[in-house]
Amino acid sequence: MKDQRPGLLILANDIFLDDVTGLAEAADFRLLDIVPIEQASARLDMQVGCDVILLFCPHPSAELERLLVQAETLAVQNDLSVILISGIDSLDLAYACMRSDRTQLLCSPDHADIAAALLTAGRTTPQRTVHEVNQESEGVRLQQLSEEVSRLARTLEALTSRPRHAPPSFALGSRISDRDSDYIGMPALTPMGSHQAPADQPSLSATQVRDMLRARRLREDFLPGDLFADPAWDMLLDLLAARLEQERVSVSSLCIASAVPPTTALRWIRTLTEQGFVQRQADPQDGRRIFIALADDTFEALSRWFTASRRFLCG
């Protein structure tokens, strides 16, 4: 009887999990092959029956860039799912090469991150009517997905034989929390516009915005930091300061500024982009980098909020 499970192809120079066969089984995949990066391009050219590509991107290189473009082209042409696992050093390159809506980018993921990505990639949900969707309890569906992710995450932990507090073997590079969380910007190549405050109101400065960000970080010296995770707001404030300073912000820098795990930050960047709050901007001098910037409407809204709230903040 033909195996109907989705086919999983792993492209990696090293086996980042101690038991990739067990990984495929736990996620209900049919493991097709584990291919080193230097052989991956030829393997993709001859690929048949692949449903999901799991590509580890530990270090940026010209070879990796070509492979990413090839995998994304294949994904678009054949409606495949791709999971890219990068470190912080290869994050900008991986993000810039993404083309398919079905591609998931994880940066130094934990077990739950990779479990959720595999479940999303391997699950095909039939189209349902609006009436059917409305009848189904959203809470029940979310609870079922959460339980499934937790189950697979526990399985992955058991496969790697690592204690829960240890970093997973596929977490490439240092943790993003070990990096400087202050903004890392680059001068803008062209003017990005400036906000002109009304004559009766003081102008908004990047220093004021950054002081607010520093004050938010200071809370962690007195109370547990996980009480205050608000990555969308932190990223918007960081981008506001960058625009006032006429600087551009890379994806990796914005992830650092978010003060949350990078895979969580990437989800928020995607959400903010899809909803039009921020925009992708290609680097005309380096096709391997994408900058993130505030949309004009978002910039104006944040500027007005800052001005309106200043009397409450400053007393």
Side-chain angles (χ1 to χ4, degrees), residues 5-8 23-31 51-52 118-119 121-122:
R5 295 177 300 170
L8 173 66
L23 164 64
E25 290 290 338
D28 201 28
F29 280 101
R30 176 170 44 92
L31 182 59
D51 299 290
V52 180
L118 286 166
L119 289 172

Side-chain angles (χ1 to χ4, degrees), residues 88 91 107 175-184 210 212-214 216-217 219-220 225-240 249-270 272 278 292:
I88 192 66
L91 175 57
C107 181
R175 297 174 304 164
I176 201 167
S177 58
D178 295 332
R179 306 279 180 134
D180 184 359
S181 62
D182 208 6
Y183 164 74
I184 302 173
R210 297 217 180 282
M212 175 177 288
L213 282 167
R214 293 186 183 99
R216 289 168 63 79
R217 295 289 176 269
R219 297 176 304 188
E220 299 177 10
D226 56 4
L227 291 176
F228 305 109
D230 193 1
W233 187 239
D234 283 337
M235 288 190 287
L236 289 176
L237 289 178
D238 195 78
L239 291 170
L240 174 61
V249 182
S250 67
V251 174
S252 56
S253 296
L254 193 56
C255 286
I256 293 171
S258 72
V260 293
T263 294
T264 302
L266 287 168
R267 294 193 192 105
W268 277 106
I269 291 173
R270 183 167 190 165
L272 292 171
V278 302
I292 304 296

Side-chain angles (χ1 to χ4, degrees), residues 10-304:
I10 297 179
L11 309 178
N13 277 337
D14 299 298
I15 297 178
F16 289 88
L17 295 174
D18 297 333
D19 189 344
V20 290
T21 302
L23 164 64
E25 290 290 338
D28 201 28
F29 280 101
R30 176 170 44 92
L31 182 59
L32 302 175
D33 207 349
I34 305 168
V35 183
I37 295 297
E38 58 270 17
Q39 302 173 16
S41 180
R43 184 68 172 84
L44 287 178
D45 283 340
M46 57 178 286
Q47 183 53 42
V48 177
C50 179
D51 299 290
V52 180
I53 298 171
L54 179 60
L55 172 55
F56 287 84
C57 316
H59 306 292
S61 67
E63 179 184 30
L64 177 60
E65 181 181 0
R66 289 191 293 270
L67 182 60
L68 285 166
V69 171
Q70 182 181 6
E72 286 295 284
T73 300
L74 190 66
V76 172
Q77 292 175 343
N78 297 276
D79 198 26
L80 305 180
S81 294
V82 176
I83 302 172
L84 304 177
I85 298 183
S86 78
I88 192 66
D89 294 332
S90 54
L91 175 57
D92 289 315
L93 173 59
Y95 188 89
C97 291
M98 289 174 61
R99 295 293 182 272
S100 171
D101 292 337
R102 296 184 61 182
T103 294
Q104 301 178 71
L105 175 57
L106 313 181
C107 181
S108 301
D110 60 20
H111 291 97
D113 290 329
I114 199 169
L118 286 166
L119 289 172
T120 301
R123 175 178 294 178
T124 55
T125 305
Q127 295 293 323
R128 297 174 297 169
T129 66
V130 173
H131 178 68
E132 289 172 329
V133 172
N134 289 338
Q135 280 190 327
E136 185 174 4
S137 168
E138 181 70 13
V140 171
R141 290 197 301 114
L142 291 176
Q143 180 63 28
Q144 290 173 341
L145 178 59
S146 176
E147 291 173 355
E148 198 169 354
V149 167
S150 298
R151 176 194 62 78
L152 184 51
R154 290 193 298 269
T155 302
L156 300 187
E157 289 174 349
L159 290 174
T160 57
S161 302
R162 291 171 179 266
R164 183 175 294 272
H165 62 273
S169 53
F170 44 78
L172 307 177
S174 60
R175 297 174 304 164
I176 201 167
S177 58
D178 295 332
R179 306 279 180 134
D180 184 359
S181 62
D182 208 6
Y183 164 74
I184 302 173
M186 287 158 282
L189 300 177
T190 57
M192 296 166 61
S194 60
H195 175 71
Q196 298 293 331
D200 60 341
Q201 294 181 353
S203 61
L204 174 62
S205 71
T207 299
Q208 293 169 328
V209 180
R210 297 217 180 282
D211 284 346
M212 175 177 288
L213 282 167
R214 293 186 183 99
R216 289 168 63 79
R217 295 289 176 269
L218 192 61
R219 297 176 304 188
E220 299 177 10
D221 292 342
F222 302 92
L223 293 166
D226 56 4
L227 291 176
F228 305 109
D230 193 1
W233 187 239
D234 283 337
M235 288 190 287
L236 289 176
L237 289 178
D238 195 78
L239 291 170
L240 174 61
R243 177 151 174 171
L244 291 167
E245 293 171 334
Q246 296 294 301
E247 291 182 326
R248 295 182 186 270
V249 182
S250 67
V251 174
S252 56
S253 296
L254 193 56
C255 286
I256 293 171
S258 72
V260 293
T263 294
T264 302
L266 287 168
R267 294 193 192 105
W268 277 106
I269 291 173
R270 183 167 190 165
T271 297
L272 292 171
T273 302
E274 290 176 346
Q275 295 187 8
F277 292 107
V278 302
Q279 299 173 336
R280 292 165 53 107
Q281 294 182 340
D283 184 348
Q285 297 183 352
D286 186 352
R288 296 169 297 179
R289 177 153 46 201
I290 296 290
F291 295 113
I292 304 296
L294 290 178
D296 289 341
D297 289 346
T298 309
F299 174 68
E300 294 297 331
L302 286 172
S303 299
R304 291 195 303 271

